Amino acid sequence: MIGGLFIYNHKGEVLISRVYRDDIGRNAVDAFRVNVIHARQQVRSPVTNIARTSFFHVKRSNIWLAAVTKQNVNAAMVFEFLYKMCDVMTAYFGKISEENIKNNFVLIYELLDEILDFGYPQNSETGALKTFITQQGIKSQTKEEQSQITSQVTGQIGWRREGIKYRRNELFLDVLESVNLLMSPQGSQVLSAHVSGRVVMKSYLSGMPECKFGMNDKIVIDKQGKGTADETSKSSGKQSIAIDDCTFHQCVRLSKFDSERSISFIPPDGEYELMRYRTTKDIILPFRVIPLVREVGRTKLEVKVVIKSNFKPSLLAQKIEVRIPTPLNTSGVQVICMKGKAKYKASENAIVWKIKRMAGMKESQISAEIELLPTNDKKKWARPPISMNFEVPFAPSGLKVRYLKVFEPKLNYSDHDVIKWVRYIGRSGIYETRC
Amino acid sequence: MPYLGSEETVKELKRALSNPNVQSDRLRYRNVILRVIRFMTQGLDMAPLFMEMVKASATVDIVQKKLVYLFMCSYATLKPDLALLAINTLLKDCADPNPMVRGLALRNMCNLRMPGVSEYIQQPILSGLRDKASYVRRAAVLGCAKMQNLQPDVEIDGAVVNELYGLLRDQDPVVMVNCLRALEEILKKEGGVVINKPIAHHLLNRMKDLDVWGQSEVLTFLLRYRPRCQSELFDILNLLDNFLGSSHSGVVAATTRLFLSLGSALPAVQSGVLERARGPLLAACNAQSRELRFVALCHVQQVLRSLPGHFGAHYKKFFCSYSEPNYIKFRKMEILVELVNDENVGTVLEELRGYCTDVSPELAQAAIFAIGRVGQTYSEKCLSILTGLLELKQEQITSAVVQTFRDLVWLCPQCSESVCASIAGCEEHIQDSEGKQALVWLLGVHGEQIPGSPYVLEEFIDALKTEQSPAVKLELLTATVRLFLSRPAETQDMLGRLLTFCIEEECDMSVRDRALFCYRLLQCGVEEAHRVLGGPKSDPSLGVIAGRPEEPINSWAGDFNTLAPVYSREDWAALTATTGGSPSLIPLVTGGAAQADLGSAEEAEAAGSAAAAAAPAAPSPPGPSEELCLVSGPPLSPELFERRWLALEPSRRVSLDWPGGDCLPETLQAALQLVNIQALALSRPHARPWKAYLYAHSLGTVVLAELLRDTDAGGLQVTLKQDPEREEALSSFLTVLKTVMQTLGNSSASLSSHD
């Protein structure tokens, strides 16, 4: 149970404060500001205990969101709630920034009123919330809308209301993955790598459709392989992937997944996250980074970094950014790169190398001479890892969508009439190579 | 400018709100209200506008209504009389055909925190419970809890409780969960909502309809249910098995906790559950959001307390990433140390060494200490890494390494040789006092193995005048005397100088005393000094080498998925401590004699000595007949006291002499507490009749007592009740009470004669 919710800007000014329970006083708002936002040292823990009150905070860009409680609550749940709150706000007005919050101040109070009552979460699905949040809010509503509210909140399926109609039935499916890597120096050994992915769907379907989603999950493919012929299992065996763990939106029938490993569901209307998964085996690492650092005397460093793209030549990676850290006492940098643009950013202590596009199976290289100021500081430079950002049009885990079928027995459209769009995007998560 | 000229702003807003032109223009009106709310958020006192805002609530604009309700709920406690004006509008809205308006009005009416509102909200709540729209029912159900919260002393309305139990069968899942939440709060004093078999089974069947918040909460409520037989238990486990794979880590954790609790008697089930929960837990440790990662890591640590090898194969998951915040890195390092085994020790140490040169000095030190802990088992590998770190010649690193050396040498004597060989030259790079202490200790205890030790100590002694920390000086004194015992020729001269300085010039008393102590010890002769100072140089038994005893899972299963694992132990202890103490009707001093004023302190002391004389209290065994042994027991709540009092027959009625004078309730309570009698409630000193209610635990029974004094002249009527009956306890209680009264009488008589 949550006693109150506060939103602050980076200076610690209160943007939103909503108290749900009597045991949280106005001084709680100040206590958090003084003890956490204005504290001298770094944040020690996302959960802070001040005078027997627990403060859970999350930071989005430079906005602090804090949930306060005096009870012994379930920490994971409170954080999940704060994330959900952020998601809902983002769905309503985009990025969470000071300006957006100030502009949508009424809306946020409205949301807070509906999402929590007496500190208990009530309704947090963006789609369902839309019925209650009335920015134009005029009392006179049509009869139809009124009955909609009633059916919405009494319906058995909490995530979809009845009587949705679209002229064009469309489905958008995005496989969004973020690939994380920690590589040992010289690119020789993968210390850890995992892909965390999400299947995000946007559905604009009429009625109460039943959907079935299939992918190249190893367990399913192997099972089918056994049933039919050996050669199919051999040929498809390579393309199937082993999913370490996966979790689903509440609309997915988990019992069916457990027994048959098939994913079937009645989709919510609009955008939602169907599934989240994680893989650690046979990850396609889109880029390899090979750093070479040589210290020439006490005042000079030579850095050479080679990046190799490791995917089909027909595909293009985008928004590539390599960040090469430089020592604090750098006085000047000369950079030569074959491709893209590179710049030394003194304020960030790094050379930032940007390449707009790069095809697969290519190689590119940057070399830099870093001049150092002589210092009497004996501290050795810690050599932070080289990090990388990129976006590739495939799924680094190897996940493929095999089918997505729609059945709506009551209305007269079939699977073929639905227009379906599938897209794969692989992004870098924490993609680091030590040097 | 919100903090300046707030009066001006309030005046201006007031004018705008009451301007008929503004009122007629909906948008302008709403904008003014918006500004009021904005100032309220910034902490400005907007209470003077209450009247105008209440007027603004009579509108058809829902947004405006919501804003005004928000305002009213914040200030209603300050202006209860004006808030009552708004009730009419709210009541009217509660009957609106639109369910949204009904729900909104009902919810906000219950949110008004002021006395007297409950009589108005009772009826709307009751009709709200039977509303056809679930949106209204949701608000009404929580409204019941809010009403109870508003007036905690009022007796619980049985009809409402029954209605809520009935609504558990509501078809709307949120209404159902809200019922549980409301019942839990209403019945808090009676131990919360009752989960019997039909309710538990009903909840289990509804689980899949709930949203994640509901699921997590229902799982927590189910902790209260104990299945009758094993087959039922396994049915429940099967039914809920899916939730271990939920996408919300909160639900996963709640399920794990429930399973651990259900399987508390079946170790096989528990280990199976943890096995199944490992995947989701590891996934949460690598979650996108760092806060969840942190919480998951805390829980991993908890699991490791019982199953040290549980995550052994996945140690690489706990390697730190450069961009992670420190609080995650600290936890990960702690976990890594736990996971070290023969196969991975090389990789883990290599990884930890990487962190030793981190930009954050705290993190670097923590990494070095972590290596030290690994070193208690794998000393050789760690020593070579630590020695390597010394070559970096950095202040914090050297200091941390030397401290680690000291602990290692103490726990693993086999390390001492290589440690002694490597610490030469460290003194140049140590600036902080902890590091200095560690180095000086090493030089003193292992001085004979370190060739340059006297000269290093001499440098410290020469710099004594500029040394700030008394702790370093204390350590220096002990170390020099120790070294003197093993290498007298080289040390004698400097020891003399050190002692002279510390005895004659030092201002810090503890240092001076230690110096005098050393001096006198040396006067007793070298053998004697040897015997006193030359203790063992190491104590391997203190180490945690062979693995600590594994705690049983049940020792922490109850705390799983609460705040306990997230807070450090000290924080948690501070949070949970001092929740006891007897509740009281009028404010009483609970701390005993210490807080009482001067006069009563004397009295309390007198009472204390009397009690001490009369009652050889706690340790005496519950002997026969006249032995006095009241013990402090669990506190009774006023309600419980009342119920017992009414239920029991008086065991004895006695009349005592009133000692004379009036005594302050604080004094009396303090005096009674000294003899383990708890005072629940006392009348004010001059009230007639004067009453006091007391209770005490003795010989396994509870004695309840009422003291009654009708008139000034009369004596004190004491009525005693007891549960269960026990004659000895009763008489011992009376004796103690008499003694206290007498002592109080004496001291207050002497006081009044002073006046």
Side-chain angles (χ1 to χ4, degrees):
Chain A
M1 156 201 342
I2 293 167
L5 235 150
F6 307 130
I7 303 181
Y8 303 83
N9 66 5
H10 67 287
K11 283 184 264 175
E13 287 166 2
V14 191
L15 301 178
I16 301 279
S17 102
R18 179 79 162 91
V19 173
Y20 292 100
R21 312 270 315 191
D22 283 349
D23 53 1
I24 304 298
R26 175 85 203 177
N27 51 359
V29 188
D30 301 321
F32 181 76
R33 181 202 1 256
V34 173
N35 287 296
V36 180
I37 302 183
H38 291 169
R40 292 258 174 82
Q41 71 271 59
Q42 267 193 315
V43 176
R44 298 245 154 181
S45 154
V47 189
T48 320
N49 169 25
I50 306 164
R52 289 165 165 237
T53 310
S54 301
F55 291 79
F56 298 76
H57 75 262
V58 170
K59 241 185 131 184
R60 285 282 182 278
S61 60
N62 51 13
I63 296 295
W64 300 73
L65 285 103
V68 192
T69 180
K70 281 221 159 148
Q71 252 76 26
N72 183 10
V73 292
N74 172 335
M77 216 61 213
V78 177
F79 283 123
E80 294 266 19
F81 177 78
L82 284 174
Y83 302 143
K84 186 77 206 175
M85 188 68 216
C86 293
D87 288 350
V88 171
M89 288 200 283
T90 320
Y92 270 98
F93 54 77
K95 196 172 167 259
I96 296 179
S97 64
E98 186 172 348
E99 203 192 339
N100 272 345
I101 287 179
K102 279 186 174 160
N103 290 341
N104 290 287
F105 159 88
V106 182
L107 172 72
I108 296 175
Y109 272 122
E110 264 194 274
L111 284 171
L112 287 174
D113 208 33
E114 294 295 339
I115 294 181
L116 283 176
D117 187 12
F118 209 36
Y120 296 113
Q122 299 289 304
N123 193 348
S124 54
E125 284 300 319
T126 318
L129 270 173
K130 283 208 162 121
T131 333
F132 301 105
I133 307 297
T134 45
Q135 265 295 53
Q136 279 80 33
I138 301 150
K139 201 177 168 186
S140 57
Q141 271 178 319
T142 55
K143 273 270 169 329
E144 199 187 345
E145 274 176 302
Q146 277 187 28
S147 66
Q148 199 182 30
I149 294 172
T150 322
S151 76
Q152 152 102 54
V153 288
T154 48
Q156 282 290 351
I157 294 170
W159 58 87
R160 190 179 178 93
R161 60 193 160 93
E162 308 235 8
I164 299 173
K165 277 200 194 79
Y166 287 101
R167 195 176 296 155
R168 227 155 80 119
N169 288 305
E170 268 185 309
L171 255 182
F172 297 85
L173 191 148
D174 286 347
V175 178
L176 306 175
E177 295 196 337
S178 91
V179 50
N180 296 282
L181 170 77
L182 186 61
M183 197 84 147
S184 71
Q186 279 84 47
S188 57
Q189 193 198 353
V190 176
L191 288 175
S192 82
H194 72 270
V195 170
S196 55
R198 305 186 300 146
V199 177
V200 176
M201 287 183 73
K202 250 185 253 176
S203 59
Y204 302 104
L205 299 172
S206 313
M208 277 285 176
E210 168 92 34
C211 297
K212 213 171 163 192
F213 171 67
M215 54 188 180
N216 57 341
D217 181 358
K218 194 167 185 183
I219 299 176
V220 178
I221 305 254
D222 287 356
K223 218 188 251 174
Q224 287 174 348
K226 257 179 231 159
T228 55
D230 278 21
E231 38 190 321
T232 49
S233 76
K234 258 178 211 163
S235 62
S236 59
K238 263 180 206 162
Q239 287 154 13
S240 64
I241 61 161
I243 290 178
D244 282 26
D245 47 71
C246 56
T247 53
F248 296 100
H249 188 272
Q250 71 177 119
C251 67
V252 175
R253 291 193 189 84
L254 288 171
S255 51
K256 240 181 176 168
F257 179 74
D258 280 356
S259 55
E260 305 160 26
R261 217 146 160 110
S262 75
I263 302 166
S264 63
F265 54 98
I266 295 175
D269 195 36
E271 186 171 336
Y272 57 98
E273 187 182 290
L274 179 68
M275 117 181 228
R276 246 186 251 187
Y277 57 91
R278 223 169 55 90
T279 68
T280 48
K281 284 194 196 81
D282 302 325
I283 294 170
I284 309 160
L285 294 172
F287 286 95
R288 291 231 150 191
V289 179
I290 303 149
L292 208 75
V293 182
R294 210 156 63 91
E295 285 177 42
V296 188
R298 285 189 65 83
T299 57
K300 204 168 159 193
L301 271 179
E302 278 180 10
V303 179
K304 200 170 107 179
V305 177
V306 181
I307 59 168
K308 284 184 184 166
S309 58
N310 179 31
F311 44 89
K312 268 191 232 156
S314 57
L315 298 175
L316 274 180
Q318 285 183 311
K319 299 179 192 165
I320 302 153
E321 188 185 288
V322 183
R323 186 171 280 268
I324 304 161
T326 56
L328 296 172
N329 54 338
T330 304
S331 63
V333 175
Q334 265 105 43
V335 208
I336 307 162
C337 57
M338 288 157 49
K339 218 176 164 197
K341 279 181 189 160
K343 219 179 187 179
Y344 166 61
K345 292 200 172 161
S347 59
E348 293 164 40
N349 281 316
I351 301 169
V352 180
W353 178 25
K354 286 183 181 170
I355 306 172
K356 275 197 187 132
R357 256 173 240 104
M358 186 166 174
M361 304 317 267
K362 287 260 163 52
E363 191 177 308
S364 191
Q365 162 179 332
I366 183 172
S367 47
E369 277 185 21
I370 303 172
E371 277 163 39
L372 304 174
L373 289 172
T375 54
N376 48 8
D377 191 5
K378 283 180 204 146
K379 220 174 195 175
K380 216 179 139 209
W381 180 43
R383 286 205 186 175
I386 295 177
S387 57
M388 199 174 168
N389 287 319
F390 53 81
E391 199 178 294
V392 289
F394 62 90
S397 68
L399 182 130
K400 292 245 160 54
V401 178
R402 288 171 57 223
Y403 57 83
L404 178 61
K405 289 177 198 151
V406 182
F407 310 96
E408 168 51 302
K410 286 190 196 140
L411 296 175
N412 55 349
Y413 69 92
S414 71
D415 186 37
H416 300 291
D417 303 330
V418 179
I419 306 161
K420 299 169 194 162
W421 307 86
V422 179
R423 175 165 71 156
Y424 300 91
I425 300 175
R427 292 203 181 92
S428 53
I430 297 168
Y431 204 84
E432 293 179 338
T433 305
R434 292 183 177 168
C435 60
Chain B
M1 247 138 315
Y3 297 100
L4 303 170
S6 73
E7 277 173 36
E8 281 305 304
T9 332
V10 169
K11 255 185 216 156
E12 187 214 317
L13 285 169
K14 198 170 204 160
R15 228 175 295 133
L17 279 173
S18 40
N19 183 344
N21 290 334
V22 174
Q23 285 179 0
S24 59
D25 185 346
R26 219 186 51 226
L27 270 178
R28 267 176 79 193
Y29 200 24
R30 195 203 282 175
N31 274 336
V32 178
I33 293 170
L34 211 70
R35 281 180 60 206
V36 175
I37 304 285
R38 191 158 285 172
F39 286 130
M40 186 181 92
T41 306
Q42 286 165 353
L44 236 67
D45 184 19
M46 288 284 135
L49 296 174
F50 203 89
M51 192 69 201
E52 284 73 20
M53 291 295 275
V54 168
K55 276 186 199 149
S57 71
T59 171
V60 288
D61 183 350
I62 289 192
V63 175
Q64 185 172 331
K65 251 187 209 302
K66 284 185 181 177
L67 290 174
V68 175
Y69 288 160
L70 176 72
F71 179 89
M72 288 201 298
C73 293
S74 319
Y75 287 115
T77 23
L78 298 176
K79 304 248 171 181
D81 42 338
L82 287 177
L84 283 180
L85 294 176
I87 293 273
N88 253 336
T89 325
L90 285 165
L91 281 175
K92 212 169 76 203
D93 280 351
C94 282
D96 197 277
N98 185 343
M100 199 158 119
V101 177
R102 287 204 300 270
L104 187 69
L106 185 59
R107 190 170 59 216
N108 283 293
M109 202 147 68
C110 300
N111 277 345
L112 293 175
R113 328 291 304 157
M114 55 181 194
V117 76
S118 52
E119 48 187 300
Y120 297 100
I121 58 175
Q122 208 156 16
Q123 199 46 49
I125 287 181
L126 285 179
S127 48
L129 288 176
R130 301 194 188 101
D131 202 288
K132 67 177 194 298
S134 62
Y135 184 66
V136 184
R137 291 203 299 275
R138 291 177 187 178
V141 168
L142 284 182
C144 297
K146 291 176 193 167
M147 197 160 70
Q148 184 68 32
N149 202 346
L150 210 56
Q151 28 181 210
D153 311 331
V154 174
E155 209 174 308
I156 298 162
D157 186 353
V160 170
V161 171
N162 283 341
E163 187 107 2
L164 288 177
Y165 271 118
L167 275 175
L168 283 177
R169 308 247 166 229
D170 196 282
Q171 58 165 331
D172 182 71
V174 181
V175 172
M176 188 190 90
V177 181
N178 278 356
C179 277
L180 284 176
R181 294 160 172 161
L183 282 170
E184 176 73 10
E185 296 209 12
I186 294 173
L187 303 174
K188 204 185 325 174
K189 281 172 199 151
E190 295 173 8
V193 55
V194 179
I195 307 285
N196 57 20
K197 189 168 173 178
I199 293 182
H201 285 205
H202 173 66
L203 292 179
L204 286 167
N205 288 328
R206 294 293 297 272
M207 273 297 284
K208 56 185 185 309
D209 304 335
L210 303 177
D211 58 0
V212 283
W213 325 113
Q215 285 174 353
S216 158
E217 257 168 280
V218 169
L219 287 167
T220 315
F221 280 120
L222 283 173
L223 284 172
R224 265 190 220 152
Y225 179 63
R226 288 281 129 208
R228 299 284 153 74
C229 56
Q230 283 227 342
S231 68
E232 190 188 353
L233 190 150
F234 283 108
D235 282 346
I236 295 179
L237 293 182
N238 280 334
L239 209 58
L240 294 179
D241 196 59
N242 281 336
F243 293 97
L244 274 182
S246 165
S247 71
H248 269 246
S249 43
V251 177
V252 177
T255 317
T256 315
R257 183 181 178 198
L258 176 63
F259 281 13
L260 289 177
S261 144
L262 285 175
S264 56
L266 306 164
V269 172
Q270 284 187 327
S271 56
V273 168
L274 288 175
E275 199 71 28
R276 291 265 283 119
R278 176 162 51 197
L281 210 52
L282 276 172
C285 287
N286 286 305
Q288 287 282 313
S289 47
R290 37 175 72 161
E291 290 84 13
L292 269 188
R293 241 183 286 165
F294 173 77
V295 173
L297 289 170
C298 295
H299 281 97
V300 165
Q301 277 188 305
Q302 206 172 30
V303 174
L304 285 176
R305 274 161 58 182
S306 304
L307 306 169
H310 197 58
F311 295 94
H314 305 271
Y315 68 97
K316 277 192 184 173
K317 294 266 167 18
F318 301 103
F319 283 2
C320 300
S321 161
Y322 186 72
S323 51
E324 276 172 334
N326 274 0
Y327 54 80
I328 290 185
K329 288 186 182 174
F330 280 125
R331 294 277 171 174
K332 282 193 169 174
M333 281 198 291
E334 285 169 23
I335 293 173
L336 274 179
V337 170
E338 302 263 331
L339 294 183
V340 166
N341 58 29
D342 293 346
E343 282 125 53
N344 62 22
V345 59
T347 335
V348 171
L349 282 177
E350 201 56 34
E351 185 68 22
L352 283 175
R353 187 181 38 197
Y355 308 149
C356 292
T357 46
D358 196 275
V359 218
S360 151
E362 288 166 21
L363 195 78
Q365 287 211 336
I368 294 169
F369 293 144
I371 293 180
R373 277 178 59 202
V374 177
Q376 290 167 19
T377 333
Y378 302 95
S379 48
E380 251 170 67
K381 288 180 183 136
C382 294
L383 276 177
S384 69
I385 291 183
L386 290 172
T387 322
L389 286 171
L390 283 179
E391 277 156 29
L392 295 174
K393 300 193 192 306
Q394 271 187 39
E395 273 173 34
Q396 295 110 357
I397 293 184
T398 315
S399 158
V401 169
V402 171
Q403 288 172 58
T404 315
F405 276 162
R406 174 191 55 189
D407 300 344
L408 263 183
V409 164
W410 181 252
L411 297 172
C412 323
Q414 73 273 18
C415 304
S416 59
E417 203 170 314
S418 41
V419 165
C420 291
S422 57
I423 61 165
C426 285
E427 69 278 1
E428 289 168 31
H429 308 289
I430 297 182
Q431 297 296 329
D432 60 329
S433 67
E434 277 83 21
K436 281 184 191 168
Q437 284 173 54
L439 181 64
V440 170
W441 186 88
L442 278 170
L443 290 171
V445 175
H446 295 280
E448 73 278 4
Q449 294 185 49
I450 306 168
S453 56
Y455 308 103
V456 178
L457 278 186
E458 190 163 21
E459 274 176 41
F460 277 107
I461 291 169
D462 289 342
L464 203 60
K465 275 201 180 112
T466 52
E467 178 58 56
Q468 300 285 328
S469 151
V472 174
K473 291 178 188 167
L474 290 176
E475 196 62 68
L476 194 59
L477 275 165
T478 320
T480 318
V481 177
R482 275 195 183 132
L483 194 64
F484 171 70
L485 295 176
S486 56
R487 299 168 77 162
E490 294 154 289
T491 325
Q492 189 174 18
D493 179 47
M494 63 172 106
L495 177 63
R497 269 187 290 143
L498 177 67
L499 286 175
T500 323
F501 177 87
C502 286
I503 292 170
E504 288 176 1
E505 291 178 48
E506 178 60 44
C507 308
D508 190 293
M509 270 306 156
S510 59
V511 177
R512 220 169 71 94
D513 282 349
R514 175 74 62 89
L516 283 168
F517 167 76
C518 292
Y519 180 68
R520 288 178 195 138
L521 182 64
L522 289 170
Q523 276 184 328
C524 297
V526 175
E527 262 92 79
E528 196 62 19
H530 227 301
R531 211 172 52 77
V532 173
L533 286 177
K537 292 188 176 183
S538 66
D539 188 359
S541 67
L542 273 179
V544 276
I545 302 168
R548 335 154 274 190
E550 292 163 17
E551 294 175 44
I553 293 176
N554 285 331
S555 69
W556 51 261
D559 284 337
F560 197 79
N561 195 30
T562 65
L563 283 177
V566 177
Y567 282 129
S568 64
R569 282 191 189 188
E570 306 86 70
D571 265 354
W572 182 243
L575 201 69
T576 45
T578 64
T579 36
S582 55
S584 47
L585 297 186
I586 55 168
L588 296 171
V589 181
T590 41
Q595 286 128 321
D597 57 316
L598 192 69
S600 54
E602 269 173 41
E603 292 161 4
E605 221 169 87
S609 56
S620 66
S625 65
E626 289 301 298
E627 201 77 38
L628 302 179
C629 40
L630 300 179
V631 291
S632 60
L636 277 180
S637 70
E639 293 75 33
L640 205 60
F641 183 93
E642 195 181 334
R643 217 174 301 152
R644 281 199 177 181
W645 181 260
L646 293 176
L648 291 171
E649 285 298 309
S651 324
R652 201 188 286 190
R653 278 180 218 275
V654 197
S655 108
L656 293 178
D657 287 335
W658 181 253
D662 275 309
C663 56
L664 295 166
E666 290 89 357
T667 325
L668 185 59
Q669 201 209 8
L672 288 172
Q673 232 171 28
L674 279 172
V675 291
N676 285 328
I677 298 177
Q678 307 296 328
L680 199 69
L682 302 171
S683 304
R684 311 215 164 270
H686 298 286
R688 291 294 173 267
W690 182 90
K691 277 186 178 183
Y693 287 94
L694 316 173
Y695 69 92
H697 296 266
S698 171
L699 299 172
T701 74
V702 184
V703 183
L704 312 177
E706 181 196 55
L707 311 186
L708 174 69
R709 192 173 174 227
D710 271 328
T711 51
D712 280 340
L716 196 60
Q717 300 293 324
V718 182
T719 314
L720 296 177
K721 298 187 179 185
Q722 203 184 13
D723 177 31
E725 292 280 336
R726 186 104 192 236
E727 195 54 34
E728 303 92 43
L730 216 55
S731 25
S732 75
F733 180 87
L734 260 182
T735 329
V736 173
L737 189 66
K738 272 181 202 159
T739 328
V740 172
M741 282 312 199
Q742 262 165 18
T743 330
L744 279 179
N746 295 342
S747 54
S748 68
S750 69
L751 268 187
S752 52
S753 69
H754 270 296
D755 303 336

